[in-house]
Amino acid sequence: MEPGVRAAQHLRQVLLFFVFLEGSSVLSETWSYSVAEEMETGSFIANIIKDMGVGDLAARGARVIFDDYQPYLWLELETGNLLLNEKLDREALCGTSEPCILHFQVLLENPLQFFQAELLVEDINDHSPTFLEKVIFLNISEGATPGTSFQMDNAQDLDVGVNGVQNYTISPNSYFYLKLKEGGKGRKYPELVLDGSLDREKEPSISLILTAVDGGSLPRSATALIQVAVVDVNDNTPEFERTLYEVQVPENSPVDSLVIKVSATDLDTGTNGEISYSFSHVSRDVRETFKIHPISGEVHLKALLDFEVIQSYTINVQAVDGGSLSGKSAIIVQVTDVNDNPPEIVLTSLMSPIPENCLSEMVVAVFSVRDQDSGDNGRMMCSIQDNLPFLLKPTFKNFYTLVTENPLDRESRAEYNITITVTDLGTPRLTTQHTITVQVSDVNDNAPTFTQTSYTLFVQENNSPALHIGTIRATDSDSGSNARITYSLLPPYDPQLALNSLISINAENGQLFALRELDYEALKAFEFHVGATDQGSPALSSQALVRVLVLDANDNAPFVLYPLQNASAPCTELLPRAAEPGYLVTKVVAVDRDSGQNAWLSFQLLKATEPGLFSVWAHNGEVRTSRLLTERDAPKHRLLLLVKDNGDPPRSASVTLHVLLVDGFSQPYLPLPEVAREPAQDNDDLLTLYLVIALASVSSIFLLSVLLFVGVRLCRRARAASLGGCSVPEGHFPGHLVDVSGAGTLSQSYQYEVCLTGVSDTKDFRFLKSVSPNHEVVNCVEENSTSLSGFGYN
């Protein structure tokens, strides 16, 4: 990342070096514990409940976090015991550093609290000293004066302190004794001191045993063979240009790169003036990291440097001439930091999913960051994306908490991918990103919603029971059980509606079923409410209106009201032989319980004694004469009529009429012989008789009123014309003299005037003048008095 990328001002950045202790959630006291290396796993270290005064560790989410995030210890949440999680090797953890301290924190999540602690790993004597070279060669001039000392490589011991190398001994001899010298960091180096003069001619070589012993309770030792070669006199030692060299090397320097070049001079000549360079008394880290050219004195890298592991090296070099005289110098190599370590993010805890109704500043995640670089290279800033309902809050040291900032809504967004970005301030800047997914769990905050506020369903009558008549549907924007909907029938507002016997509903899918056969003539429509309830807690519900319309089917045949077909004797109509063509003999009245076109009735003459004498109007059922009567016409006629509706398929009923021809009104009425009846029909005939009587009574009252009104109007009209008065006869006219309109079966109503002359004599009769505006006026026909008494109409 280039330095100019500082324009990322949209990020909510938090600089690691501005982390402060917040309130009482972090205690400044540091608890110190110690453990010997190589102790068995599960060894007791401490009890933090007693030491730190905390309790209920499981509920508070207690955990132990080391700075290098290794699980060296584990915490028993029930007892508070801090136990060893694995065997510790002090040499692997800290090398030669002393003391070996591991820093860790005890984290309590709820509420958030930190305790600082450290673990001292104590050294035990588990390593023996070792010499890097089993045979040490020394070339010593025979001219060396007693008291001259000769440096030798020290023994290496991975243990530290008293367990490190504490003493050196040499095998008994006549020429040398051993002298110990203190080096840096408490190290001891052996020097071989000449105790007496050497004589190459007597003894050209001497073999000695060098023994190194550590200071453990059970001391360990190592030996090396010293081969001393006595050479000729060399009276000048090499001298370095400087006694101390200092150099800075970037940690990203490649292998074999030149670190520094040392130089020494020797005033001797020949082999005694030939100088070779080598390391002297250096640690294993130096030997593994650097190498020196024996002739040129150039020091090169043997391995890569790492500032985060070792920041400086001290290299002792020596220049040895051909006469084994040596000069000494030291090189201090300072490793300079390079921004070669990106920041690290370690997620400590994550709460997912979180409820959508959670409170503000609810802790969602706890994580820590670190950068192994130093200075600006190790300073960091931490951020997350904008436009998220979350905030980053620094807590303790390098720990951060991710908390909610605004209320959440799962229906708007059920998942958040939060990218934590950590950038250091080095050059170039290094960035690390870690994405966590936070699920939002559902809360039952949405009631079911129907796809329609009301539903209209159509059902054909005479349906089969358990017929599926329709489906209602509701949706719920919640999820899981909060969105699982159960349908139910709500109690109807009309208490007389037995809804449970009419309709049932499938509670799972909202399918509606008719429980029994519906009858349009009994129930044309009904409505009820359906409820949809989710399974949340608390449950939410809504309701919708359902209207059920029953469709009519042609399941009722026409019923003939007049003439009665189940009477004790057949109905006989009287027809005067003097009747004109179109004379109204009678009118068939029928009804149909169905509706619409299923109730449209038509009339048809199927059979007659005298074909062509009578005709039936198809739409109103009026039976009229088609021609004049003759003497050859039979006196008795039987007509068979068919009444048919307009349904699909059509239904019909038949009616039989008996017509008796009479010569005049005074001729006695001759009833036809009674027809034998079955006893089983008596109850039905009696019911029909009651219905006809009631209908005739109502019709008679209505027609009487009409006749009185018509009579008054006619009398007034006659006076105005000065043609004499037309009087309305007193008394009640028989009901069969005036037409009775059928219930819904006739297209028009017909009224007729019955007029008498103004003279008191009743011999003259003016016959049937229509007062309907749609018919022509028929002239009155005069008849004698004998005809008047025996004349009748239907």
Side-chain angles (χ1 to χ4, degrees), residues 340-358:
D340 58 345
N341 291 283
E344 299 175 8
I345 302 174
V346 178
L347 190 64
T348 303
S349 66
L350 173 64
M351 180 180 292
S352 179
I354 58 176
E356 60 178 323
N357 62 346
C358 64

Side-chain angles (χ1 to χ4, degrees), residues 173-221:
N173 63 92
S174 303
Y175 300 99
F176 300 94
Y177 67 91
L178 208 58
K179 180 180 179 183
L180 298 182
K181 298 195 66 176
E182 296 288 338
K185 299 182 180 180
R187 294 192 182 97
K188 295 182 179 180
Y189 300 97
E191 286 188 353
L192 194 63
V193 181
L194 186 61
D195 192 27
S197 300
L198 298 176
D199 187 355
R200 189 190 66 83
E201 286 71 21
K202 291 182 179 180
E203 196 170 1
S205 63
I206 302 172
S207 296
L208 305 173
I209 301 298
L210 177 63
T211 302
V213 182
D214 62 24
S217 58
L218 296 175
R220 295 171 177 261
S221 62

Side-chain angles (χ1 to χ4, degrees), residues 584-631:
L584 178 62
V585 178
T586 186
K587 179 179 179 181
V588 178
V589 180
V591 294
D592 194 316
R593 294 183 63 194
D594 295 321
S595 65
Q597 68 178 11
N598 294 329
W600 296 351
L601 301 181
S602 61
F603 302 85
Q604 180 182 355
L605 181 60
L606 293 180
K607 187 177 180 181
T609 304
E610 186 69 34
L613 179 58
F614 300 96
S615 64
V616 179
W617 285 24
H619 299 295
N620 57 19
E622 292 181 351
V623 180
R624 295 179 181 271
T625 58
S626 299
R627 60 175 174 82
L628 290 172
L629 298 174
T630 64
E631 292 296 335

Side-chain angles (χ1 to χ4, degrees), residues 716-725:
R716 290 178 181 175
R717 188 184 303 168
R719 291 192 190 95
S722 300
L723 296 177

Side-chain angles (χ1 to χ4, degrees), residues 489-544:
L489 298 177
L490 300 181
Y493 296 143
D494 184 2
Q496 297 181 355
L497 179 62
L499 184 61
N500 291 333
S501 64
L502 293 175
I503 298 295
S504 70
I505 188 170
N506 189 313
E508 295 182 358
N509 54 28
Q511 291 182 348
L512 292 170
F513 299 89
L515 294 179
R516 62 179 175 84
E517 181 179 305
L518 300 178
D519 187 1
Y520 173 81
E521 288 71 34
L523 184 63
K524 293 180 175 59
F526 60 94
E527 62 182 28
F528 55 91
H529 286 82
V530 174
T533 305
D534 59 30
Q535 297 184 11
S537 179
L540 301 179
S541 62
S542 60
Q543 61 182 17

Side-chain angles (χ1 to χ4, degrees), residues 37 139 161 165 167 183 204 269 335 362 419 440 495 517 542 548 647 706 793:
E37 68 171 334
N139 294 322
V165 177
N167 191 24
T269 60
V335 181
M362 174 183 176
T419 300
V440 182
E517 181 179 305
S542 60
V548 178
V706 173
Y793 298 86

Side-chain angles (χ1 to χ4, degrees), residues 649-672:
R651 291 177 176 268
S652 61
S654 62
V655 57
T656 302
L657 298 176
H658 296 274
V659 180
L660 180 62
L661 301 184
V662 295
D663 292 328
F665 291 102
S666 61
Q667 182 176 348
Y669 170 68
L670 299 176
L672 296 177

